[in-house]
Amino acid sequence: MSLISGLAGCSLPGAGVDVGGDLKLLYAPFSLSNPPRYWQVGQNGDPGPLSWEDKDGRIALAARPGLGSFEIGRRTNVIVLASPFLSFDWQFNSAAQVGDVELVLGFRRQAQGNWTENDLGSGKPGVDHEVRIAIGQYSVRYGEWHREYFDLATLYRRYWPDAPADEVRLVWIGLVSGTDHAPVENSVTHLTHILLSR
């Protein structure tokens, strides 16, 4: 199945599809206190650790885990083999560390559960497998944008080599505050341009 036909079947409102067929998941600001359908946002602290900022001409999500814990994510319903690549841009300030923010990917077998291709439901879905990936690199120049690419099919096979990948769907993409260490209060990780592509 191509990405275009996959997206037609998945119909992801609140996401944009560009001319190359890439599915843009995080590309414009929305209310963090009243997120759009299929999004879920939870954050603690006052002020909250999440906000939108214009960073170098890009609308980016600014995550400040030193101010409180958070989770932001959206439901998807995309066959891993149809759109196997996930990419996003990130930037650290001088106080940020690897793992202050983690990417969370939720996978689910197509045949499991009573749900249809067009039914994304609400709230965070149940998953068969979840992967958490620390965002960042140890040797970076602060204040510069960096791009990460993940081959989702390869990632899935690495953790679950016996699972039939043609039945696997990515049903959740989220960002959470890390749990491996306590971030400093003024640390900021900016994230933008989260894309699913062929």
Side-chain angles (χ1 to χ4, degrees), residues 175-193:
L175 299 164
V176 299
S177 45
T179 58
D180 287 343
H181 62 267
V184 298
E185 185 173 340
N186 62 335
S187 70
V188 184
T189 300
H190 288 94
L191 300 124
T192 189
H193 295 168

Side-chain angles (χ1 to χ4, degrees), residues 69-91:
S69 62
F70 65 85
E71 179 175 21
I72 179 172
R74 67 156 292 147
R75 295 178 75 112
T76 64
N77 189 4
V78 178
I79 297 174
V80 168
L81 292 183
S83 46
F85 301 108
L86 173 69
S87 62
F88 60 91
D89 295 344
W90 59 273
Q91 183 182 127

Side-chain angles (χ1 to χ4, degrees), residues 135-156:
I135 292 177
Q137 299 173 11
Y138 288 101
S139 298
V140 298
R141 298 181 67 175
Y142 301 114
E144 292 187 359
W145 286 105
H146 305 274
R147 176 158 290 182
E148 295 288 345
Y149 288 95
F150 294 98
D151 181 330
L152 297 177
T154 299
L155 181 71
Y156 191 90

